[in-house]
Amino acid sequence: VQHGGKMVPFAGWSMPVQYTEGVMESTINCRKNSALFDVSHMCGLTFKGKDALSFLESLVVGDIKSLQDGTGTLSVFTNETGGIIDDTVITKVNDNEAYLVVNAGCREKDITHIKKYLDKFSGDCDLIIHDDRGLLALQGPAAAEVLQPMVEEDLSKLYFSYFKKLNIKGVPCYITRTGYTGEDGFELSIPHPNLVDIATALVANERVQL
């Protein structure tokens, strides 16, 4: 709102659909420089435990166990007859942990479906719903250049679809090199108390627009 966002309701959230610069200028800037999107309406989930990957593979399509640590894949949750419940991006953090993001509009039915089968699961698996975190998407060809001064690790070594737990301005965050704009970029899962500060720091760069 402070930056002139036009707010609309979506899946129980109030979201900006455009800013004062207009859709065309925002789109061009994302293609030439960098754009920041608040996608905190998306739902982040972690499955953790020695049997977490086995449980997750019983719900989704894909061989999650065979992924390299810190890499991800597109997948879908399916029902008992093979129909699609929702699509998702799944990251294998390690052999005992997976992180994924599901769509805001499907959040309740996804979590209900997961819990239905988790309640019957006899193995070691905990579900963590990241309501304590927000999600920012920094997109565009300048995204790495903008983000790099805020992290100690070399982002050129974080390849497309790779995931890592890194500090941004000293704050523990989840960083995935991905996004839906067709450009290079990162999705940043950030604890709520630090979300506005990090977003403000990113937008302060002259190459970044909302």
Side-chain angles (χ1 to χ4, degrees), residues 37 39 42 89 99-101 134-139 147 158 162-164 168 173-181 184-190:
F37 301 87
V39 289
M42 305 287 280
V89 176
Y99 170 73
L100 57 153
V101 177
L135 195 63
L136 300 178
L138 182 67
Q139 300 285 291
L147 185 59
L158 190 70
Y162 276 40
F163 166 98
K164 213 165 187 184
I168 301 177
C173 299
Y174 305 160
I175 301 181
T176 310
R177 194 156 198 164
T178 188
Y180 286 89
T181 61
D184 188 17
F186 304 86
E187 289 189 356
L188 315 172
S189 176
I190 303 168

Side-chain angles (χ1 to χ4, degrees), residues 151-165:
V151 302
E152 294 183 358
E153 289 78 1
D154 183 358
L155 293 178
S156 70
K157 301 296 192 294
L158 190 70
Y159 305 117
F160 179 74
S161 84
Y162 276 40
F163 166 98
K164 213 165 187 184
K165 295 181 180 181

Side-chain angles (χ1 to χ4, degrees), residues 88-136:
T88 183
V89 176
I90 301 173
T91 297
K92 178 187 173 185
V93 180
N94 54 51
D95 287 339
N96 300 311
E97 184 177 351
Y99 170 73
L100 57 153
V101 177
V102 298
N103 293 297
C106 298
R107 171 194 166 110
E108 295 307 320
K109 71 174 181 179
D110 289 351
I111 292 175
T112 298
H113 180 74
I114 292 166
K115 287 183 174 179
K116 173 184 174 182
Y117 290 95
L118 187 57
D119 288 344
K120 303 174 185 177
F121 187 64
S122 60
D124 176 31
C125 178
D126 292 321
L127 171 65
I128 302 168
I129 303 171
H130 292 296
D131 286 336
D132 58 336
R133 309 180 74 90
L135 195 63
L136 300 178

Side-chain angles (χ1 to χ4, degrees), residues 37-104:
F37 301 87
D38 184 350
V39 289
S40 296
H41 60 292
M42 305 287 280
C43 179
L45 304 172
T46 288
F47 293 80
K48 186 176 287 189
K50 66 181 181 64
D51 302 309
L53 301 188
S54 294
F55 173 71
L56 184 56
E57 286 186 349
S58 73
L59 300 179
V60 302
V61 175
D63 185 1
I64 310 305
K65 292 179 182 176
S66 70
L67 294 172
Q68 295 182 26
D69 289 2
T71 65
T73 183
L74 289 168
S75 186
V76 291
F77 285 97
T78 59
N79 60 26
E80 294 82 355
T81 59
I84 294 174
I85 297 172
D86 193 12
D87 64 333
T88 183
V89 176
I90 301 173
T91 297
K92 178 187 173 185
V93 180
N94 54 51
D95 287 339
N96 300 311
E97 184 177 351
Y99 170 73
L100 57 153
V101 177
V102 298
N103 293 297

